[in-house]
Amino acid sequence: MTDGLVVGVVPGVTPDRWVRTWAERMPDAPLRIEALPDDEVGPALLASLDLAFARLPVAGIDAGELHVIPLWEETPIVVAAKDHPIKVFDTVMLADLDGEELYPGWDDGVLDLVAAGHGIARMPQSVLRATGRRDVVGRPISDAEPTRVGLVWRRTTEGPLIDEFIGIVRGRTANSSRGAAPVEPPAPKPAKQPQPKQAAQRQGRQRRGATSTRRRTNGR
């Protein structure tokens, strides 16, 4: 059995399909998933993580040290107690939240405060879904910037297992290879040469056209 990979995952991100594909293609290389808060991804990449599914930009590490594959954007939502007035709306705007006490973050402590009616919180919709909490209500914020999720790894982190995992996330098939030589484009087909009969017909058309032109000219 070869050494495997350690991949970090932030709340709300579900890497199941890539994990299943890895298990099918690389049964001898273990893949360990490590759940991390968003603010711990950077330090973990500097320490033990090989790659991470993280929200961008990644805190705690210089952006120039990372390779990034953007994957998707997340809908921002406001979270409040179940009896909060936002429950009657399908969406809200940032201006609707003026005057509300906003708690930063989206851990259980913040959600406990919000559920008790002490304020509101903002988070990606996927994060609230992942908690399974039913004592709060969430509504999309129509004019707020979405958060972005990407696969990240350090520029100094490399190797065949890293390449294989990147390929799986990119959707590369099992039969393709990241290091394969580029496929040469097909050589252009030579122009089709006219056959003798076709050439004679073309010359005849050209002569008839020239004769018609002289006739029209002489008849003026």
Side-chain angles (χ1 to χ4, degrees):
M1 179 176 291
T2 62
D3 293 337
L5 293 179
V6 182
V7 179
V9 179
V10 296
V13 174
T14 305
D16 293 0
R17 66 182 184 273
W18 298 306
V19 173
R20 288 194 297 269
T21 302
W22 178 271
E24 293 168 358
R25 296 186 192 176
M26 307 291 290
D28 295 328
L31 176 66
R32 180 162 63 89
I33 299 298
E34 186 171 327
L36 293 170
D38 288 77
D39 58 0
E40 293 184 13
V41 173
L45 284 168
L46 292 170
S48 59
L49 285 187
D50 294 304
L51 310 98
F53 293 98
R55 291 186 174 87
L56 308 175
V58 179
I61 188 170
D62 188 271
E65 293 187 47
L66 295 178
H67 288 296
V68 178
I69 301 176
L71 295 175
W72 66 81
E73 292 186 339
E74 302 173 302
T75 301
I77 64 170
V78 57
V79 180
K82 290 187 70 174
D83 58 353
H84 193 280
I86 69 166
K87 68 181 182 181
V88 302
F89 300 100
D90 293 329
T91 63
V92 299
M93 300 183 69
L94 290 172
D96 300 327
L97 308 179
D98 287 346
E100 296 278 1
E101 184 175 6
L102 176 65
Y103 288 99
W106 45 69
D107 56 28
D108 285 336
V110 168
L111 289 172
D112 288 342
L113 288 171
V114 168
H118 296 303
I120 62 172
R122 279 182 55 181
M123 62 189 65
Q125 192 172 47
S126 60
V127 172
L128 180 61
R129 287 175 177 170
T131 67
R133 302 272 302 233
R134 298 185 178 277
D135 54 351
V136 294
V137 61
R139 292 293 183 267
I141 308 173
S142 61
D143 57 344
E145 287 293 322
T147 47
R148 298 180 300 134
V149 173
L151 179 68
V152 299
W153 68 100
R154 295 180 66 190
R155 292 184 178 274
T156 55
T157 302
E158 55 186 22
L161 294 184
I162 298 290
D163 291 346
E164 185 66 30
F165 191 81
I166 293 167
I168 288 173
V169 173
R170 286 187 182 276
R172 200 160 58 238
T173 65
N175 294 327
S176 62
S177 172
R178 190 171 192 239
V183 178
E184 293 293 335
K189 294 182 179 180
K192 188 176 181 180
Q193 298 297 323
Q195 298 299 318
K197 183 178 179 180
Q198 294 174 330
Q201 290 173 343
R202 184 178 302 170
Q203 291 173 358
R205 286 195 297 269
Q206 292 173 348
R207 285 196 296 269
R208 288 195 295 272
T211 302
S212 298
T213 300
R214 287 195 298 270
R215 287 175 179 171
R216 287 196 300 271
T217 301
N218 295 334
R220 286 180 181 175

